[in-house]
Amino acid sequence: MPPPAPHDLTIIGAGVVGTAIARELARHPHLRIALLDASDDVGNGTSKANTAILHTGFDATPGTLESRLVRDGQRQLHAYAAQSGIPVERVGALLVAWTDEQLAALPALADKAARNGYSTTHPLTRAELYAREPHLGPGALGALEVPDESIVCPWTTTLAYATQAVRAGVDLHLNTRVQKVTSSAEGHLLHTTRGPLRTRHLINAAGLHADDIDRLLGIADFTVTPRRGQLLVFAKPSRALVRHILLPVPTALGKGVLVAPTVFGNVLLGPTAEDLTSADAKTANHTTAEGIAHLLDHGRRIMPALLEEQVITSYAGLRAATERDDYRIRLHPGRRYVTVGGIRSTGLSASMGIASYVVSLLEEEGELELADNPRDLEAPHMPNIGEAFPRPYQRPDLIARDSAYGDIVCPCESVTRGEIRDALTATVPARSPGGLRRRTRAEAGHCQGAECGAAVRALYKEHQPRS
């Protein structure tokens, strides 16, 4: 039996950036595309554990590639979210000054935003700030308002990109870790845990492992030092305390700890910023007692009333920090290879901008034939798991067509049997309890599955997709 024909292009990494690139390239119908991930699901690395903010890019370093792609990407993502049903809420952000030095820094931040193409910031006096956020802790001196900062569902975003790509013909290979790459003038042979895969062109969007993939091709442009961010999730009653994303004034050490509402009706406190250098750094996505204590100390100052609410869970994400505070996106001339590395906390906001930029690099290279008029892909209609729009249990029309949407399985999050069934039989189905939680919010509520866990597991077993 002859070996299978090579793919025209393969993307390593099915996070929010890799899936966005796959979706964009799927608009060229003559290309045979593969999307690989070492995990059992899309968006199962950095993309699943972040602050879920759709940034305007107001505070990026002007003139950087990150600044440009966040600005472009967030505009595209706002439009795409409206098309495909990704939950987004424009709540705005307030950069809160707690010291005279921070207050004096606000005009420079407004100027920085303007240089990034965002000119609608507004200074707020102390009185105006407390009128906007009456539960803010005592001692704040003023703020800078950024009206267009938004909150978004990061899980649905990645899933929407992947769904659209797969429906357009992209071959999705999960549980497929790349162990070795053999390159030639004709392309690349990927030696993976599920066998060999040949491809003419290769895109490395491997997130935390982008430097590892580079080194498989003999390239050592940068090193990823995982930056851990720990966060606390507060129960839904806390949502009434917070009206905006509350940001600290940035320092040389980073953006600091924020308080932010979520599209799911909770409130986040975090993240920490810990550069990890241990041997297991790229898998150290666990919380620590020290990290939680650090967050509680900051939360006590930012909003004391928040700490009176119940913390229902905590989590940690790892960001792909490198030696330079900018994206590390590079086409390697003559090698049919593009590295998409150093994509940090703004990757969700910039994802569509990054995808467009990568395609432009491929066009400039000229070795990959792209369509003159790429096709428009039919937008997916994603299940709504946000609180700003009606959920299935609130839709009599949906329940009338299928009673499963009126049968609530998870009381804390009002998740129905119909939603769980759909998530397990979708184009890109949930293949683990965690994947099911991200698609439906089942077991993600106040009791963390204590009440609904048995019923959810029974449905998972009934509809569990086969590899």
Side-chain angles (χ1 to χ4, degrees):
M1 186 177 193
H7 286 81
D8 295 299
L9 191 145
T10 295
I11 302 152
I12 301 174
V16 71
V17 172
T19 55
I21 294 169
R23 172 199 166 274
E24 184 65 25
L25 284 164
R27 298 177 61 213
H28 301 265
H30 65 286
L31 295 179
R32 185 170 181 238
I33 301 167
L35 175 63
L36 316 183
D37 201 275
S39 176
D40 66 355
D41 200 2
V42 299
N44 208 19
T46 297
S47 301
K48 75 177 181 183
N50 52 51
T51 51
I53 295 173
L54 181 48
H55 295 284
T56 58
F58 78 95
D59 60 345
T61 301
T64 59
L65 184 60
E66 180 181 27
S67 169
R68 169 185 157 191
L69 298 185
V70 172
R71 184 174 64 246
D72 294 346
Q74 62 91 16
R75 291 170 184 159
Q76 295 178 62
L77 183 48
H78 269 290
Y80 182 74
Q83 254 188 343
S84 56
I86 297 169
V88 174
E89 294 181 51
R90 180 180 169 275
V91 295
L94 303 177
L95 279 95
V96 180
W98 298 93
T99 67
D100 289 332
E101 182 182 8
Q102 291 174 356
L103 189 65
L106 295 182
L109 289 169
D111 178 67
K112 183 180 185 181
R115 286 184 286 139
N116 280 317
Y118 187 80
S119 56
T120 53
T121 59
H122 306 289
L124 299 179
T125 66
R126 182 184 183 281
E128 290 170 330
L129 170 60
Y130 279 98
R132 300 286 186 91
E133 289 289 349
H135 297 286
L136 198 65
L141 303 178
L144 184 70
E145 182 184 17
V146 188
D148 297 301
E149 292 283 292
S150 302
I151 53 177
V152 63
C153 177
W155 311 322
T156 307
T157 303
T158 305
L159 185 61
Y161 294 158
T163 297
Q164 204 169 20
V166 170
R167 288 178 181 173
V170 171
D171 298 322
L172 176 63
H173 299 272
L174 298 173
N175 293 308
T176 305
R177 183 180 299 278
V178 176
Q179 299 171 306
K180 180 181 176 183
V181 180
T182 305
S183 300
S184 68
E186 288 73 38
H188 310 275
L189 175 63
L190 307 184
H191 306 263
T192 82
T193 50
R194 301 191 71 174
L197 186 148
R198 292 191 297 150
T199 186
R200 293 190 178 93
H201 297 264
L202 184 61
I203 296 176
N204 169 10
L208 292 166
H209 297 281
D211 58 339
D212 300 325
I213 298 298
D214 261 10
R215 282 164 174 75
L216 293 180
L217 284 93
I219 298 166
D221 287 346
F222 61 87
T223 297
V224 171
T225 300
R227 183 167 294 154
R228 182 166 59 196
Q230 302 183 46
L231 296 104
L232 299 177
V233 182
F234 287 83
K236 292 184 185 296
S238 64
R239 182 64 179 84
L241 298 174
V242 185
R243 300 175 182 177
H244 303 77
I245 302 163
L246 300 177
L247 302 171
V249 176
T251 69
L253 298 177
K255 296 180 180 179
V257 174
L258 59 82
V259 172
T262 74
V263 295
F264 316 118
N266 304 100
V267 172
L268 296 179
L269 173 65
T272 58
E274 310 155 53
D275 287 337
L276 306 180
T277 57
S278 60
D280 65 344
K282 292 185 178 181
T283 58
N285 57 345
H286 57 273
T287 58
T288 65
E290 296 80 8
I292 299 303
H294 174 77
L295 295 179
L296 292 174
D297 284 344
H298 279 268
R300 198 168 288 112
R301 180 180 189 185
I302 299 167
M303 187 169 284
L306 181 62
L307 269 64
E308 298 174 10
E309 302 293 334
Q310 185 174 6
V311 174
I312 61 169
T313 191
S314 61
Y315 65 94
L318 300 174
R319 290 160 275 175
T322 69
E323 302 91 334
R324 193 170 72 217
D325 289 340
D326 198 3
Y327 296 164
R328 312 300 288 269
I329 304 177
R330 178 188 169 194
L331 182 144
H332 302 271
R335 302 194 63 170
R336 299 175 182 246
Y337 179 61
V338 179
T339 300
V340 185
I343 312 300
R344 301 168 301 150
S345 57
T346 54
L348 170 61
S349 305
S351 54
M352 298 187 85
I354 293 170
S356 298
Y357 180 68
V358 169
V359 172
S360 74
L361 292 179
L362 293 169
E363 287 177 321
E364 290 172 14
E365 181 188 34
E367 292 184 6
L368 180 67
E369 185 179 342
L370 297 173
D372 292 333
N373 296 298
R375 60 179 170 170
D376 291 327
L377 303 180
E378 182 179 353
H381 298 287
M382 304 308 294
N384 171 47
I385 60 172
E387 292 295 296
F389 304 97
R391 298 274 305 287
Y393 79 96
Q394 297 169 314
R395 293 183 53 189
D397 60 323
L398 202 58
I399 297 168
R401 293 198 300 270
D402 186 341
S403 63
Y405 294 113
D407 181 5
I408 292 177
V409 177
C410 172
C412 293
E413 294 295 322
S414 301
V415 181
T416 66
R417 180 165 54 89
E419 292 172 275
I420 293 173
R421 175 202 62 205
D422 292 351
L424 291 167
T425 57
T427 302
V428 183
R431 295 182 179 274
S432 68
L436 182 60
R437 188 179 305 116
R438 291 189 293 277
R439 286 163 173 80
T440 65
R441 290 169 42 188
E443 298 188 274
H446 188 273
C447 79
Q448 293 289 290
E451 186 171 345
C452 67
V456 171
R457 285 191 292 275
L459 286 170
Y460 178 80
K461 186 175 181 180
E462 178 183 349
H463 297 287
Q464 185 174 6
R466 303 302 175 200
S467 298

